[in-house]
Structure formats: C-alpha cells, structure tokens
Amino acid sequence: MGDMIVVQDLVKNYGNFCAVNHISFTVPEGKIFGFLGPNGAGKTTTIKMLTTILDPTSGFIRVNGHDPVHERKQVRRSFGIVFQDPSLDDELTALENVDLHGALYGVPRGERMKRAQTLLELVGLWDRRDDLVKQYSGGMKRRLEVARALLHRPRILFLDEPTIGLDPQTRNHIWGYIDTLSKEQNVTVFFTTHYMEEADRVAAECAVIDHGKIVAQDTPAALKQQTDSATLEDAFIALTGHAIREEEGNVMDRMRMMRAAWRGGRR
Ligand SMILES: Nc1ncnc2c1ncn2[C@@H]1O[C@H](COP(=O)(O)OP(=O)(O)O)[C@@H](O)[C@H]1O
Ligand SMILES: [Mg+2]
C-alpha cells in the first residue's frame, strides 16, 4: 500500500497573489483524508491542480503515480470528483445523469446499468432513480453526485466541500455513505471542509491549510493531543490563532483563544 497522492513544495500564484504557498503532503491509499481550512485558504485551488484543471506555478504532484501536467489522461481516469458547486443536469432523471457520466467515460452499457444500481442503492436513491433531478432535495443531489463520481471505478474520490449548505442530519447521512463507499470500494477519499467536527469524525488523517500554507498534518486525535484541545475546532484555533468560520470571528475567536491559552495550548 503506497501513497495515492504525493504533493511536494506545490505553489500556485494568481498574478502577484500566492494562493498556495509551498505545500507538501501525502495521502495513503484507501484512507479518508481531510483538507481543512477557512474560505480563501487555497483548498479549491489545490484540488484543481491535483485534478488537471489548473497547472501549478511550481512543485511536484503525483496522483495514482501520474503527473497531472504531463499525464492528464491517466490522472483523469484515476479520480472521480464532486465539485463545490452542483454539476447535475436538472432536466434528466437521476439514472440518466449517472448513465451519461458512464457513457462519457466509455463504460459499456450493460456494465453501466449494473454499477449504477449498486451505487444508487449504496446512497439510498435506487427507488428514486426515475425522478427528475430538479425534484431532488439538496442532500439527495449531493448523494447522487457522489454515486455518479464513482461510476467509472476511480481509485480516488475528490470531494470539495461536499456538505456545504446542508442541514446537520443530511450531512451525517452523506458522511455515513462516503465512509461505507470508501470501505466497500476501497476508494481513497480526499475532501475539503470548513466543518471541523465532520473532519474529526470521518478523516483518518488531515492537513490544516491557512492562507495557502499547511500548518499541520496528522490524525485528528494527534492534532488535538498536540494542541491540548478537546475538539478539532479548538485545535484549529490553537494552530492558526483564529476561528475557522469568519462569521464567528471576533468575540468567539477571542474566547476560544483565551481558553486555549488557559489550557496551555500552543499557538
Ligand atoms: N482565478 C483566480 N484568480 C485570482 N484569485 C483567485 C482565483 N481563484 C481563487 N483565487 C483566490 O485564491 C485564494 C484561494 O482560493 P480557493 O482556493 O478558492 O480557496 P478555498 O477553496 O479554500 O476557499 C482566495 O483568496 C481566492 O480569492
Ligand atoms: Mg473552495
């Protein structure tokens, strides 16, 4: 079992602005890996470089052993992706959306139907397969996107903020499904989130990114232990000196930092 993703000294500049600033990390095969950070930290930019959408300014990347700049095709066959913004066709049924994806990836028709059934059953949508996607709730759409991303049997699943805007119960369900999928299909999962408690629950390992730099990489338990924090949210504050959700800034920020300092947490 090797590393599915290797990143060394990766940089992305947009003009004079450095969005990703010399980051390095590795993701072991079969693991669920969380990439945590606030809005604007550089998470989506990193995913875009890993998935051939954006060329790096400099640095080294291997995805399933391939270079996203020079071996685009091999890299693209290696992963499925759920984008931050929804990308389903609302005017098609759920099954049609999944089937179309399989056709685009050249999966034979009979095989497409078999896999679609397995995956839609796994995410609890098989009974609703003939409904138009525009009749789906936000949570159902997310589950459908996850199933669709796996139809061509990728070894890696990228999820960019897969639960953003969903209610806590639906978020729990989605993570349950992803956990099952990763175990049953032995898929390596790379996800981004700014919900710390989710990462705490599902990530085997995580990297914390802030202002384009990785400030820590470890298991959630180790990150909490290192910072003497009860929750990953507190660990994040101890590591970065500020809270993850901007709207909680100021008062909550200061209270948490004081609490971390009081407990002797490092900053
Ligand atoms: N195409 C772009 N041109 C210029 N700046 C960008 C572009 N895309 C993202 N940025 C900036 O880069 C930073 C990182 O963005 P992003 O990777 O989307 O962060 P995240 O996904 O963590 O919220 C932000 O400050 C953002 O405004
Ligand atoms: Mg983003």
Side-chain angles (χ1 to χ4, degrees):
M1 238 180 45
D3 288 322
M4 233 2 174
I5 302 172
V6 179
V7 168
Q8 286 164 7
D9 218 16
L10 183 63
V11 175
K12 181 66 194 181
N13 296 329
Y14 293 115
N16 290 330
F17 176 72
C18 184
V20 171
N21 194 351
H22 297 275
I23 64 169
S24 302
F25 60 88
T26 53
V27 180
E29 185 180 358
K31 288 273 158 56
I32 300 185
F33 186 90
F35 202 50
L36 321 177
N39 278 332
K43 303 182 298 295
T44 297
T45 300
T46 302
I47 283 203
K48 284 182 175 171
M49 290 190 281
L50 294 175
T51 56
T52 77
I53 295 166
L54 203 60
D55 283 346
T57 302
S58 63
F60 176 93
I61 309 174
R62 287 293 175 273
V63 172
N64 191 22
H66 299 291
D67 173 359
V69 178
H70 297 108
E71 299 172 290
R72 286 180 196 276
K73 207 169 158 186
Q74 291 93 322
V75 170
R76 285 181 186 165
R77 295 217 159 254
S78 303
F79 69 82
I81 184 165
V82 176
F83 294 101
Q84 191 168 338
D85 300 314
S87 65
L88 294 161
D89 190 329
D90 266 2
E91 301 296 330
L92 296 181
T93 67
L95 186 59
E96 283 167 347
N97 265 283
V98 173
D99 189 47
L100 179 64
H101 176 91
L104 290 173
Y105 273 88
V107 181
R109 186 172 158 76
E111 185 61 27
R112 285 201 311 263
M113 281 301 142
K114 265 191 264 167
R115 293 190 199 173
Q117 178 163 0
T118 307
L119 288 166
L120 289 174
E121 279 172 357
L122 268 171
V123 298
L125 291 175
W126 180 244
D127 292 344
R128 304 289 300 272
R129 64 188 175 278
D130 293 325
D131 290 5
L132 291 178
V133 166
K134 64 183 171 193
Q135 291 157 351
Y136 269 28
S137 68
M140 289 164 75
K141 286 184 185 176
R142 258 351 203 169
R143 276 145 57 193
L144 179 59
E145 288 185 306
V146 171
R148 181 182 64 170
L150 291 168
L151 195 88
H152 59 290
R153 299 238 167 106
R155 304 195 58 196
I156 308 170
L157 178 62
F158 287 101
L159 304 163
D160 197 1
E161 307 258 5
T163 54
I164 198 163
L166 300 176
D167 61 84
Q169 199 192 355
T170 308
R171 279 160 48 192
N172 268 335
H173 273 136
I174 299 240
W175 285 118
Y177 290 124
I178 290 168
D179 202 36
T180 307
L181 285 166
S182 96
K183 290 199 176 92
E184 293 193 359
Q185 319 256 326
N186 190 35
V187 178
T188 304
V189 178
F190 181 100
F191 73 94
T192 74
T193 191
H194 60 271
Y195 297 119
M196 293 287 116
E197 72 280 5
E198 293 188 341
D200 208 347
R201 209 189 95 190
V202 299
E205 208 168 299
C206 43
V208 178
I209 183 167
D210 193 33
H211 298 299
K213 286 188 177 162
I214 290 183
V215 296
Q217 182 188 341
D218 219 321
T219 63
L223 290 176
K224 285 185 283 187
Q225 200 187 8
Q226 275 166 37
T227 54
D228 197 20
S229 306
T231 65
L232 203 54
E233 184 120 16
D234 285 341
F236 181 86
I237 292 158
L239 289 162
T240 63
H242 61 83
I244 192 144
R245 268 172 250 139
E246 290 85 316
E247 66 270 20
E248 285 191 352
N250 302 330
V251 179
M252 283 304 283
D253 243 27
R254 261 178 270 132
M255 276 174 53
R256 287 205 164 102
M257 281 171 67
M258 279 167 66
R259 194 164 80 204
W262 186 250
R263 286 210 195 104
R266 265 186 285 134
R267 287 185 42 202

